[in-house]
Amino acid sequence: MRPASSAAYPTTMRSWSTRSHSRGIVFAAISGLIVVALMIILSFTMLSSVGLLFGALAALIASPVLAIVAISLARLFLRYFLAPLPTQALSEPVEEAPVLVVPVIVRSDRDIEAIRSNVDANLMFAARKPMVILLDLPDATAAVVPDDHRLLDSLHKLMGDDISVGRVAILVRRRLLDPVDRVWRGWERKRGKIEEFCRLLLADRDTSFEDSLPDALIGAVAFVTIDIDTRLMPDTIASLVAAVDPEAAIVTPMLEDRCRPDATWFEGLVALSSRRHAYDPNYNFNQSRLGYDLYYGKGLIVARRFLARTKGKIAERTILSHDHLESMIAGAVLSPQAVVREDIPRSRESWARRQFRWIRGDFQIVPWIVRSRLPVVSRLHLLEIVLGHLAAPCSVILAMMALTMLPAPASFAYALACLVMARPSLLIFPVTMPIIMLGSSISRSGRWAKTGSIFLSEIAAWMLSLIYAPGNLVLVVRAAVLVTWRLGWSGQKLLEWEGGLPADYRVSRNGWVMGIQILVGTISFGVAVLVDHPAQFIAVSVSLWLLVPLLLSLPLLREPHARALIHTPSIHSQ
């Protein structure tokens, strides 16, 4: 299955900079990867009785983490040799108050309530133009099903006042038949909604929207798209407009995780691991040196430019997570002054469902890394995203190998080093720390505070990834098997939204699975206490990995707690 059409991709990044710097980035990354891999092979070979075979196997398992570290280090070092790009004048004016758009899928009354909540929070920022809801109905066995009318009636009843006075416009798309999956759904899901809305703005009525565009929106140059759980700040839209780049079709904001006032303990744990830090323009290599950044589904889109660069470039029915690809093809820049907030999932189960969908979507872009005409640096960035899902599982496997096949006490040191690999950014922190301390213009105390905050966030994220490493391993393996089967053989269900996990999915709480976890975890803990052997560390690790997620999923800890860490802002766009 080809990743896209045979047409050449427009080079939307600063082409002269991208071409001249690609070889340096690739050479530095590959060199670093080879050096670190050889060091691992040599050290494991010298200590292990198995010899070279074991060292090569360890390096192979560690290769995802090593590749991420090598790419990151290449960016850090090359920032000293590559000058920042100059700013350029805007060639296409964008109105100061672009249209505010929310693409959604309405499956239940709960989704309707979420739309109402989103409108209440963001309507004030829509200025004098109606806020637009781009709506798909759930996948069905026919073009129209009886529940459609009930859902639409409920939505219009809840939004009636805003619709009647023109503050909100709802554009519903009709379902189209997917001949492979044999299901009726909105064309290309969110990607299709965005593309067809761009065509509506350009007076192209050949779309699947059943409703016409409001007169107030005809001729609009750009729009701001957000998700159903996104909350704008007062200056978000103005900051996005001010950052429009003449060579990019997308402007992305900084993303903050928002912890609710009645946060659960899981939200507090996630908030601890993802605090927001002040943006450093010199630290963002892609933005300052290559002129592009990633798009996460929220941001300002220049309609004509976006449509011209993306239309027909992504083959239908092949991509679930389209945001990253669109930023590579259409071009995206970051506006650090523009901030949007999103709620942290309330439970591990909700987080796992979302993460599973993201992992499947990211694995589907592997063909684009291998055989597309994207610039090399773009493919490296996509590769880094895909390998990031493999970091924690690979680190756990390596730690177990070190403990079972290397002699003590060296095995404990190597196991700890392998577990640190679960968070690749923690490995390069010793390199980023002096960069922050020496390269920042803030006071010395401010630099120390910033460094300490970043370090604490990295440690918290590392511990969180280790706690849930077994569950994450299951998600990654399941996603990899599904995507491999669907891409390589069946070609079906590539756009499936919630598929692949049972409808009653609960992390570590499915009857017999929970019983096995308790049994094995208790036995492992008993072995750790009663047996005086180097394998104690393995037993303790297994016990913690099995029992701690169970404890964190108890009803007492799943209930909201007012004293949890609340409103702890975080960042996941740098």
Side-chain angles (χ1 to χ4, degrees):
M1 187 176 296
R2 296 192 61 80
S5 64
S6 58
Y9 301 114
T11 305
T12 57
M13 293 177 288
R14 308 284 168 77
S15 56
W16 57 270
S17 173
T18 302
R19 285 195 297 268
S20 61
H21 300 343
S22 293
R23 291 183 179 180
I25 297 172
V26 174
F27 177 77
I30 293 177
S31 299
L33 176 63
I34 293 175
V35 170
V36 178
L38 289 176
M39 291 174 60
I40 289 181
I41 293 175
L42 181 62
S43 58
F44 270 75
T45 301
M46 293 176 61
L47 292 173
S48 172
S49 58
V50 181
L52 183 61
L53 179 62
F54 179 69
L57 179 61
L60 178 63
I61 296 175
S63 58
V65 179
L66 300 182
I68 294 174
V69 172
I71 295 172
S72 300
L73 290 177
R75 292 197 191 102
L76 287 175
F77 286 117
L78 286 175
R79 61 190 287 273
Y80 289 102
F81 301 100
L82 306 178
L85 294 173
T87 58
Q88 298 186 28
L90 182 62
S91 58
E92 183 176 357
V94 174
E95 59 265 43
E96 294 183 0
V99 184
L100 182 58
V101 172
V102 186
V104 298
I105 301 178
V106 174
R107 298 182 179 84
S108 64
D109 293 333
R110 187 175 180 180
D111 294 326
I112 295 174
E113 294 171 359
I115 294 175
R116 178 72 261 180
S117 177
N118 184 287
V119 170
D120 290 340
N122 298 312
L123 182 58
M124 67 183 76
F125 306 119
R128 295 170 299 278
K129 296 180 179 179
M131 182 176 177
V132 181
I133 309 298
L134 306 181
L135 190 145
D136 276 348
L137 291 165
D139 298 1
T141 56
V144 179
V145 295
D147 199 42
D148 293 349
H149 301 292
R150 184 191 66 82
L151 289 174
L152 292 176
D153 289 344
S154 299
L155 178 62
H156 281 84
K157 182 178 180 180
L158 192 62
M159 309 289 296
D161 293 340
D162 291 320
I163 295 175
S164 61
V165 298
R167 290 195 297 263
V168 173
I170 299 177
L171 305 185
V172 182
R173 293 202 306 170
R174 62 179 178 273
R175 297 185 182 96
L176 301 178
L177 176 63
D178 185 330
V180 178
D181 290 349
R182 298 176 183 176
V183 67
W184 292 79
R185 68 161 66 99
W187 177 71
E188 289 297 296
R189 297 204 182 278
K190 181 182 176 180
R191 185 175 78 85
K193 286 195 283 283
I194 295 298
E195 179 176 322
E196 291 193 313
F197 185 70
C198 288
R199 286 155 56 183
L200 280 182
L201 294 180
L202 299 176
D204 183 355
R205 298 185 179 181
D206 185 18
T207 71
S208 61
F209 282 109
E210 297 178 341
D211 306 281
S212 58
L213 190 70
D215 294 338
L217 304 184
I218 296 176
V221 175
F223 60 94
V224 173
T225 177
I226 59 176
D227 288 337
I228 196 170
D229 59 345
T230 304
R231 300 296 182 264
L232 299 173
M233 299 293 103
D235 58 346
T236 299
I237 293 180
S239 299
L240 290 172
V241 171
V244 173
D245 187 275
E247 293 194 26
I250 305 170
V251 182
T252 66
M254 301 284 276
L255 308 182
E256 289 185 2
D257 284 333
R258 188 176 76 94
C259 216
R260 301 171 185 84
D262 59 341
T264 63
W265 283 105
F266 180 80
E267 291 178 85
L269 288 173
V270 176
L272 266 178
S273 65
S274 53
R275 295 179 179 178
R276 183 194 176 198
H277 308 291
Y279 174 78
D280 185 350
N282 290 322
Y283 194 68
N284 191 323
F285 180 85
N286 292 330
Q287 173 85 0
S288 61
R289 266 65 176 182
L290 299 179
Y292 84 100
D293 210 294
L294 284 182
Y295 167 54
Y296 291 90
K298 280 72 67 174
L300 183 145
I301 295 178
V302 182
R304 187 180 302 276
R305 192 182 302 168
F306 178 86
L307 192 61
R309 294 173 179 175
T310 60
K311 187 177 181 180
K313 298 301 187 296
I314 301 177
E316 294 184 14
R317 299 188 57 265
T318 59
I319 296 297
L320 181 62
S321 296
H322 53 91
D323 305 337
H324 300 328
L325 274 182
E326 288 171 340
S327 64
M328 304 296 182
I329 298 173
V333 294
L334 173 69
S335 173
Q337 290 76 31
V339 176
V340 299
R341 291 179 176 174
E342 291 187 339
D343 292 334
I344 299 173
R346 296 194 72 90
S347 66
R348 164 69 181 180
E349 288 81 10
S350 300
W351 181 92
R353 285 187 176 280
R354 186 184 71 174
Q355 192 70 10
F356 184 71
R357 183 174 68 249
W358 287 355
I359 294 173
R360 285 192 294 123
D362 289 339
F363 283 173
Q364 287 177 7
I365 66 177
V366 170
W368 286 79
I369 301 172
V370 178
R371 47 176 185 171
S372 73
R373 298 183 183 180
L374 290 175
V376 174
V377 289
S378 297
R379 284 189 275 172
L380 278 178
H381 209 155
L382 293 176
L383 176 64
E384 191 177 8
I385 294 169
V386 173
L387 295 180
H389 298 302
L390 305 176
C394 288
S395 68
V396 173
I397 295 173
L398 277 176
M400 295 298 100
M401 290 176 60
L403 288 172
T404 54
M405 304 186 72
L406 295 181
S411 58
F412 297 103
Y414 271 90
L416 180 60
C418 293
L419 290 178
V420 174
M421 291 184 179
R423 182 74 176 175
S425 56
L426 187 61
L427 290 174
I428 64 172
F429 182 78
V431 180
T432 59
M433 178 179 175
I435 293 177
I436 296 173
M437 295 300 296
L438 299 177
S440 180
S441 58
I442 60 178
S443 63
R444 178 179 298 181
S445 61
R447 291 195 295 267
W448 278 109
K450 180 179 178 180
T451 303
S453 177
I454 294 175
F455 180 69
L456 289 177
S457 296
E458 292 291 343
I459 292 294
W462 171 63
M463 294 180 66
L464 191 64
S465 64
L466 284 183
I467 289 174
Y468 292 111
N472 293 343
L473 177 61
V474 172
L475 292 179
V476 170
V477 172
R478 190 163 192 162
V481 172
L482 282 177
V483 172
T484 301
W485 168 256
R486 293 172 180 178
L487 274 179
W489 186 258
S490 72
Q492 295 180 329
K493 299 184 178 180
L494 290 170
L495 298 184
E496 191 175 39
W497 193 252
E498 296 288 356
L501 291 179
D504 60 345
Y505 179 75
R506 296 290 185 273
V507 177
S508 305
R509 299 190 69 185
N510 285 336
W512 62 272
V513 176
M514 182 178 177
I516 292 176
Q517 280 191 263
I518 295 175
L519 178 63
V520 177
T522 304
I523 293 175
S524 299
F525 186 78
V527 170
V529 173
L530 300 177
V531 177
D532 184 16
H533 188 273
Q536 281 180 318
F537 187 81
I538 301 177
V540 170
S541 300
V542 171
S543 177
L544 290 176
W545 284 331
L546 292 176
L547 296 181
V548 170
L550 284 176
L551 294 175
L552 292 176
S553 65
L554 290 176
L556 177 64
L557 296 181
R558 290 163 55 85
E559 293 298 322
H561 292 272
R563 287 183 292 178
L565 291 173
I566 61 175
H567 294 305
T568 305
S570 70
I571 192 68
H572 45 255
S573 66
Q574 290 192 47

